[in-house]
Amino acid sequence: MQTTKTHIVHGGTLRYLTHDSAVTGTAMTLSVFVPPGAGPFPVLIWLSGLTCTEDNFTTKAGAYRAAAEHGLIIVAPDTSPRGEGVADDPAYDLGQGAGFYVDATETPWAEHFRMESYVTGELIGLIDAAFPTTKVRGISGHSMGGHGALTLALRHPHLFRSVSAFAPIASPTRCPWGEKAFTAYLGPDRTVWDAHDAARLIEAGVGEGCFDDILIDQGDADPFLVEQLQPELLQAAADAVGQTLTLRMQPGYDHSYFFMASFIADHVAFHARRLEAAR
């Protein structure tokens, strides 16, 4: 990985990095915050939402004071492969900036859009090799990235010891964003989609017993709440199988980073407690 920018923040070091990915076949970008001290530190991977790059969370979420206090590395990768020759779509909710954290199987997406393998394989390996980590990690995200955090944690519980999300797409098989993306990336067979739907994974018992709690924050003034996000489906699935899930409906909050900045310290502390206990 090559460092392109470095900043000192709350006594820690924030780096923007780039590397050539063997998984996506493209250059990938990310940011990594390392708290002050010698380490080693547990890691929180953050997955961002539609249209975002690694920069949105890095500059807007205000997570690094809490990360410095709790001794937590935070890694924020880009949301998709990008570049010349990479498939794209004019719409904001498909293509570059909209990877949905799945490995695409359909043309023209399959060549580069392999975000599940990137996050759960290559990215973790690079971070553990380059930074003072304990090799214990959690995962969180927002919207499309909340969907990614939940599904990757449930599908790969050996990699993650904690999981949370802000305003996640709870059941992409049952909302317009997910139906559009999954049709394009995974094809028309809806039974294939279920393996990438957090509510359906919980209903099926995937990841059962692996997480003592799943923390979800959702603003009740979010314009996408009813049609796209549907957190009640997550709650119903968790209740049906006895999975502890803390769904906090936050009055008056919307879908923006102002919402995330208001509660990000709670999520950092939530992960830090579990990751420290797992060392």
Side-chain angles (χ1 to χ4, degrees), residues 46-47 49 100 140-151 163-172 175 177 198-199 202 214-219 222 224-235 245-249 255 259-260 267:
W46 173 270
L47 304 181
F100 269 82
S140 187
H142 169 238
S143 194
M144 177 186 73
H147 139 75
L150 293 170
T151 57
V163 57
S164 73
F166 287 84
I169 303 173
S171 187
C175 76
W177 277 340
I202 292 172
I214 298 172
L215 175 61
I216 307 291
D217 270 307
Q218 173 65 62
D222 190 319
F224 304 113
L225 176 60
V226 174
E227 183 179 33
Q228 303 282 13
L229 304 178
Q230 306 175 82
E232 69 278 2
L233 297 177
L234 278 179
Q235 187 70 73
L245 184 145
T246 301
L247 173 59
R248 308 195 306 186
M249 296 299 298
H255 199 68
F259 164 50
M260 279 173 278
H267 285 245

Side-chain angles (χ1 to χ4, degrees), residues 254-277:
D254 58 19
H255 199 68
S256 71
Y257 268 87
F258 295 111
F259 164 50
M260 279 173 278
S262 301
F263 300 102
I264 191 68
D266 291 353
H267 285 245
V268 170
F270 173 88
H271 287 277
R273 287 192 298 273
R274 285 156 178 80
L275 299 179
E276 183 61 32

Side-chain angles (χ1 to χ4, degrees), residues 80-162:
S80 79
R82 300 179 192 266
E84 188 176 346
V86 177
D88 200 8
D89 188 276
Y92 76 95
D93 54 358
L94 190 67
Q96 296 185 37
F100 269 82
Y101 305 102
V102 299
D103 287 353
T105 58
E106 303 299 298
T107 303
W109 312 102
E111 182 179 1
H112 300 295
F113 280 71
R114 304 187 64 230
M115 289 301 292
E116 178 171 9
S117 291
Y118 174 70
V119 172
T120 61
E122 187 174 31
L123 178 66
I124 286 173
L126 287 168
I127 296 302
D128 283 346
F131 295 96
T133 81
T134 61
K135 296 182 172 57
V136 175
R137 67 195 70 82
I139 190 165
S140 187
H142 169 238
S143 194
M144 177 186 73
H147 139 75
L150 293 170
T151 57
L152 296 188
L154 292 166
R155 285 167 57 82
H156 305 274
H158 61 292
L159 295 178
F160 303 105
R161 306 301 288 268
S162 58

